[in-house]
Amino acid sequence: MTGYQPRPIGPAALAELRAVDDAGRPCHPFTAAEGGHPLRCCLRGSEPGERIALVSYAPLRRWAAATGASPGVYDEQGPVFLHAEACAGPDPGREGYPFSRPGALRTVRRYDARGHIAGGRLLEIPAEEAKGFDAALEEAFADPEVVLVHVRAVEYGCFHFEVRRP
């Protein structure tokens, strides 16, 4: 059981990204030869043979557009995988945090209501994965200024998921 709700990329953003990504490039779907690509639409790894796409995504920019925040120089974009066509989203019965494996390194980056970075930390995922994420997120939201957290992979800097203040 997770203490916080990991959020996938929303349906409206996914529809846009499947046409043109946040860097202005058209989407180029392909068939995954191997599984394991971290799909941000449904927060699971891809299966061999699934049609997926690698697109550029600017999560903070999209959040700011919806909230009126102004992240300025903190806006960034990076690569994410998603299904090439609409999917059902995350499995509501799935427990735990997505793309989690003991020993993997993640950044837990905090943002305030303006969209400015308000701190962060490195998380080496422990054997008890959910407890490690819960502790890092509890620490982040202990700061009353933090409204949003992005979890990213250290290896590639990829956005994995966001968590909003409960």
Side-chain angles (χ1 to χ4, degrees), residues 10 17 23 35 67 74-75 81 87 93 103 114 118 122 130 144 159:
L17 293 168
T67 64
Y74 297 105
D75 178 35
F81 288 99
C87 68
R114 297 171 301 164
L122 177 66
F159 170 84

Side-chain angles (χ1 to χ4, degrees), residues 29-92:
F30 63 95
T31 301
E34 299 177 9
H37 298 89
L39 299 167
R40 280 34 166 250
C41 49
C42 54
L43 301 180
R44 69 165 176 83
S46 67
E47 299 291 330
E50 285 187 297
R51 296 282 295 160
I52 63 175
L54 180 61
V55 300
S56 186
Y57 177 56
L60 192 61
R61 181 184 314 159
R62 287 175 174 275
W63 171 82
T67 64
S70 181
V73 298
Y74 297 105
D75 178 35
E76 58 185 309
Q77 63 188 32
V80 295
F81 288 99
L82 47 90
H83 276 113
E85 291 84 30
C87 68
D91 176 355

